[in-house]
Amino acid sequence: KSNSSSAFQTHHASTTALQMSDFDFPSAMPEKPQQTMREKLEDSATTFIADITARLGEGVEPPSELEALKAARDEEGGDAPTLALKIYELMIEQGMRYDVDPDNGKLT
């Protein structure tokens, strides 16, 4: 009986030794630089502008809020709350002004 219990203990010890976390090894990748809130909002604005522009149907005019968002994003020294507001205004205008074509996702 003592042989079987020591075999179990050896087996048990070897399996726990193999259970390692990804955090046990240092990453070879450098840490991602931290963005300020303004930089995150600029990235979001750029993505949203590109998305709206690509999704406008043929002959469909972009809303004036699109240009307002571009101006707020490109403004030197602009603040994050203003940029967030312009993103929000464009989202609202998109929902109120356009329908989405179910076949191709275009804004009409």
Side-chain angles (χ1 to χ4, degrees):
K1 285 186 174 180
S2 65
N3 271 351
S4 65
S5 68
S6 70
F8 173 74
Q9 289 173 349
T10 305
H11 175 71
H12 180 69
S14 68
T15 58
T16 57
L18 296 175
Q19 296 173 356
M20 292 188 191
S21 158
D22 290 339
F23 301 109
D24 292 336
F25 299 101
S27 174
M29 298 295 292
E31 277 194 39
K32 191 175 179 180
Q34 294 295 317
Q35 288 184 307
T36 64
M37 181 56 73
R38 169 74 189 186
E39 291 168 333
K40 290 176 186 178
L41 286 167
E42 285 175 3
D43 288 349
S44 292
T46 299
T47 301
F48 194 28
I49 290 165
D51 178 64
I52 294 285
T53 303
R55 291 178 56 213
L56 286 173
E58 188 174 324
V60 176
E61 291 293 317
S64 60
E65 290 79 5
L66 186 70
E67 284 304 316
L69 177 56
K70 285 181 186 178
R73 179 200 58 189
D74 297 340
E75 180 183 340
E76 284 294 322
D79 63 349
T82 300
L83 189 53
L85 177 64
K86 296 300 179 187
I87 291 170
Y88 181 72
E89 288 174 348
L90 181 55
M91 276 196 244
I92 297 298
E93 190 63 22
Q94 173 191 348
M96 290 176 42
R97 186 172 181 180
Y98 301 104
D99 291 321
V100 178
D101 185 318
D103 295 328
N104 59 19
K106 293 287 187 181
L107 300 175
T108 57

